[in-house]
Amino acid sequence: MEIKTNIQFNVKTRIKCPKCQETFDKPTGDYTSLNCPQCGMQLKLTKEAVDEAIREAETKAAGTLGSMGIPLPEKYAGIAKAKTLTRPLNIIGVVASLWAFAFPVPYLPAILVCASIPVAAILMMAYLKGSINFETKKGKSEVPYLTFAIAMPPAVLAWRALIDFHIFSFAHVWVPAAAIAIFFSVLIFLLSADMKRKPLYILVALIFGFMYGYGVLIEANCLADKSMPNAYNVKVLGKRSSYSSRSRSYYIKVGPWGPRTKGGEISIR
């Protein structure tokens, strides 16, 4: 015999006064004229903040009931499924980023994994149809999120491209990198559950999108280049070292060489 259940949540929003630290239930009614019942301090509370707290409380309650084997409504069952899928991808994103950042050996697989994770994260957001957040609060959000899978690999790719290669000209980098950043941001805006409520996140997505575009373009250009190198004889005019508490950098001053009509200072290992 199949038993169907009808589950409803009655969530109370608890508020903590920043002045007297008194905790109390949010009364019904206007959000803009809320005063602490203990000290009388006027508190600023938006409807969006309350709605977000209610969503998190409902998700937490649904997760608890799901772990007990209780059938859940489709809405909460989908969130539980999303958390099951997003958690491993976030972990893979962190591990792959640390691998590529600290010890990228072998190099090509480390770069390929980092380049693939943000794509997999966006595909997962599309598959789960807007139930995933772009951002998490202090890593403790009850709502499924893909912060680490989307943010960490692009940052590491950009860092590796900066330190592993000396680029002769950036003339053909900025436009495609900007195009990738815009495409990256539009997809996250359309597919994430929280970005439409927090438009400022579009700027954050643009930054990580640009890191991803820059890193992927430089890495692909350099790793796929199998042509023979050109060698130029150049006169070294001077050298210097730069010291800091954590590192030491070396520079040499050279005259004109090859296609460069002017000399200058370059960094060396």
Side-chain angles (χ1 to χ4, degrees):
M1 180 176 63
E2 181 181 357
I3 300 176
K4 294 184 177 180
T5 58
N6 183 16
I7 300 174
Q8 292 183 341
F9 297 102
N10 184 16
V11 179
K12 289 185 177 180
T13 305
R14 303 283 291 174
I15 299 172
K16 187 174 183 179
C17 176
K19 182 178 180 181
C20 66
Q21 304 299 309
E22 177 73 14
T23 303
F24 57 95
D25 291 336
K26 185 196 78 66
T28 58
D30 191 7
Y31 291 93
T32 59
S33 59
L34 184 63
N35 289 19
C36 174
Q38 181 70 19
C39 67
M41 178 180 178
Q42 186 172 5
L43 306 177
K44 294 181 179 180
L45 192 65
T46 64
K47 185 177 184 302
E48 290 75 15
V50 174
D51 290 343
E52 182 71 19
I54 291 174
R55 277 190 294 270
E56 295 233 353
E58 288 179 340
T59 306
K60 184 175 182 180
T64 302
L65 294 174
S67 65
M68 298 168 60
I70 299 175
L72 296 173
E74 183 179 352
K75 171 185 176 182
Y76 300 108
I79 292 177
K81 177 183 178 182
K83 291 186 73 172
T84 302
L85 293 174
T86 55
R87 188 177 294 113
L89 190 56
N90 277 315
I91 293 173
I92 293 172
V94 172
V95 173
S97 298
L98 293 175
W99 172 26
F101 177 82
F103 192 68
V105 178
Y107 189 87
L108 181 58
I111 297 301
L112 287 177
V113 171
C114 275
S116 301
I117 290 172
V119 177
I122 290 175
L123 291 175
M124 186 176 291
M125 293 173 78
Y127 171 68
L128 294 171
K129 299 177 181 177
S131 61
I132 299 177
N133 276 2
F134 168 66
E135 182 259 1
T136 178
K137 298 175 182 177
K138 301 179 182 179
K140 298 179 181 179
S141 176
E142 296 296 337
V143 179
Y145 59 88
L146 283 170
T147 310
F148 300 113
I150 291 175
M152 289 188 68
V156 172
L157 283 173
W159 184 79
R160 289 249 65 107
L162 282 172
I163 69 166
D164 292 342
F165 304 104
H166 289 283
I167 305 303
F168 179 77
S169 173
F170 290 94
H172 301 292
V173 174
W174 304 131
V175 172
I180 292 174
I182 294 171
F183 185 64
F184 190 89
S185 303
V186 169
L187 286 178
I188 294 176
F189 178 80
L190 294 175
L191 299 174
S192 68
D194 59 341
M195 187 169 286
K196 295 179 182 66
R197 300 192 302 271
K198 302 174 182 179
L200 185 61
Y201 285 169
I202 297 176
L203 177 60
V204 179
L206 277 170
I207 292 172
F208 286 115
F210 189 82
M211 289 181 179
Y212 183 76
Y214 175 83
V216 167
L217 287 170
I218 297 298
E219 293 285 348
N221 179 73
C222 295
L223 294 177
D225 187 358
K226 305 301 181 183
S227 61
M228 294 298 294
N230 293 325
Y232 298 96
N233 292 322
V234 58
K235 186 175 181 180
V236 177
L237 305 176
K239 61 181 181 178
R240 70 179 180 90
S241 301
S242 176
Y243 302 91
S244 69
S245 59
R246 295 184 179 181
S247 64
R248 178 182 297 179
S249 302
Y250 302 93
Y251 303 90
I252 57 174
K253 185 177 181 181
V254 298
W257 58 272
R260 289 193 181 272
T261 58
K262 295 181 180 181
E265 194 174 62
I266 60 174
S267 65
I268 59 173
R269 294 268 178 109

